[in-house]
Amino acid sequence: MASACVTLKSNTHLANSEKGFLGERIKGGFNNSALVMNQLAIRSRSHKRVKHGVGVVSAVLTSNNAKESLTLQVPSFLRRRADPKNVISIILGGGPGTQLFPLTKRAATPAVPVGGCYRLIDIPMSNCLNSGINKIFVLTQFNSASLNRHIARTYFGNGINFGDGIVEVLAATQTPGEAGKNWFQGTADAVRQFTWVFEDAKNTNVENVLILAGDHLYRMDYMDLVQSHVDRNADITVSCAAVGDSRASDYGLVKVDDRGRIIQFSEKPNGDDLKAMQADTSLLGLSPQDALKSPYIASMGVYVFKTDVLLNLLKWRYPTSNDFGSEIIPAAVRDHDVQSYFFEDYWEDIGTIKSFYDANLALTEESHKFEFYDPKIPIYTSPGFLPPTKIDKCQIVDAIISHGCFLRECTVQHSIVGERSRLDYGVELLDTVMMGADYYQTESEIASLLAEGKVPIGIGRNTKIRNCIIDKNAKIGKDVIIANKDGVQEADRPEDGFYIRSGITIIMEKATIEDGTIV
């Protein structure tokens, strides 16, 4: 620490001095301050010389009379650094994932592929590791098999080295007693059912609990958030971002005072309630132009709780409240110190088909705000040990091609091609997210299937696809057209292997689209 000295005249005025000086509120000149008058009286009676040490802040107060001055010794100001070893992270594995259906028909939301070779769960897991937080718990319930498998392959054993940390999957389970018969009833209830985690011996020194969602795309140093939480001595800190009108009603919205304290929290408001939550986001550092585009402050669903506060809220204050966003946080705002932390970098909630589709295709843009490629703070995923992709006489523009693919004389534009994908001669892929396959079919197997009039995994010859999401292990035949030329916005055709959501055609996992089909 360093020492500092401030010299102020007695008639000095402070603008906006309600925030105080040396912990005291001062209005007008210092010559009218009870703090200064009191210190002058004390020092006039004492002739002892004050010795200053390292870490001491001194202030010299002078009057208009140059002969009169006073040096005050102020207590040291020591900033306590937040220690990642005293933080545990809880990643919510998601509910039934209805808004991402049919991608969540067989997979939990955090297990859905993103960016070609990653899973959504890799985002918060990697952010934790890059932040130095290595005590991580993942709560799962719906369709958790593929999520559990991915976590085991990536973050156990031959995956990431956690040192003295842990990563545990906590699956919903039933326990003795009436309450134990229920599955997770919401995000808060999921944490409540595993409060024994905080009582475990290895977690006795946990001071703060980080609650994370498993369906967001962003890169964040969580310890910056935790440090802000510690600096303000907050009970709860909510990470926030500015959002525009188009999607404001999809989020929990907050209002904050001039010190960053949350004074109002409204979960997914509409109509007049939505308009009432508008705020001047230029106060958060946005330019006037950006503030007009994003006049709402949204909760990112990323929270830091003091451990004792979290346990008290879940077990004693609100034992029947099941959701953080709609129940716990709005109630806590009334009688706890709930602070905001403004996150200015790229963040996208991709919990709907439209946002998932848009966020994936945005990754193909040259100057996109989010990049998976960062050697210092990487996004981890399962090591697939796949060979390089083989490309033969193809035209590829603004695309991401994952490992282990085979592309033959095809065109790929503004699209993502997932691992082990096969695109045959004459295929055209435009504005499409193709998730790839979990396994290979050999050339002989493919030839045999084609000879029998069957469709192998991948996309057959001369097929044209646009504005589409192709789920894992889909089989699309030759001379197929998937374009939704009629502009249908919503349709359920599971018997034909596809759904349409927000005008986007979704080919189901393991679906077969026969030769010559037009969608």
Side-chain angles (χ1 to χ4, degrees), residues 179-196:
K181 295 180 181 179
N182 297 323
W183 299 106
F184 296 158
Q185 301 300 302
T187 55
D189 185 60
V191 177
R192 181 186 293 116
Q193 292 194 31
F194 283 101
T195 52
W196 58 264

Side-chain angles (χ1 to χ4, degrees), residues 227-293:
Q227 186 64 59
S228 174
H229 175 76
V230 170
D231 287 344
R232 298 181 182 187
N233 194 29
D235 294 324
I236 307 168
T237 299
V238 180
S239 187
C240 301
V243 297
D245 291 286
S246 61
R247 295 192 59 196
S249 59
D250 294 338
Y251 305 112
L253 301 180
V254 306
K255 280 191 171 183
V256 301
D257 64 16
D258 59 355
R259 298 188 182 185
R261 180 169 180 166
I262 294 177
I263 55 176
Q264 188 176 352
F265 190 107
S266 180
E267 180 72 0
K268 299 180 180 179
N270 285 291
D272 292 339
D273 292 336
L274 175 62
K275 291 181 180 178
M277 293 304 295
Q278 284 190 348
D280 182 4
T281 51
S282 66
L283 299 177
L284 303 176
L286 271 65
S287 67
Q289 296 81 3
D290 289 339
L292 288 175
K293 295 178 183 177

Side-chain angles (χ1 to χ4, degrees), residues 106-120:
R106 294 189 179 95
T109 298
V112 173
V114 62
C117 63
Y118 301 90
R119 304 289 182 119
L120 286 173

Side-chain angles (χ1 to χ4, degrees), residues 5 21 52 59 85 92 102 107 129 180 195 306 348 398-399 402 425 454 489:
C5 181
F21 176 73
H52 302 292
K85 292 183 179 180
L92 303 173
L129 294 174
T195 52
K306 284 183 178 177
E348 187 66 49
D398 296 335
S402 300
Y425 300 96
K454 297 180 180 180
Q489 290 299 300

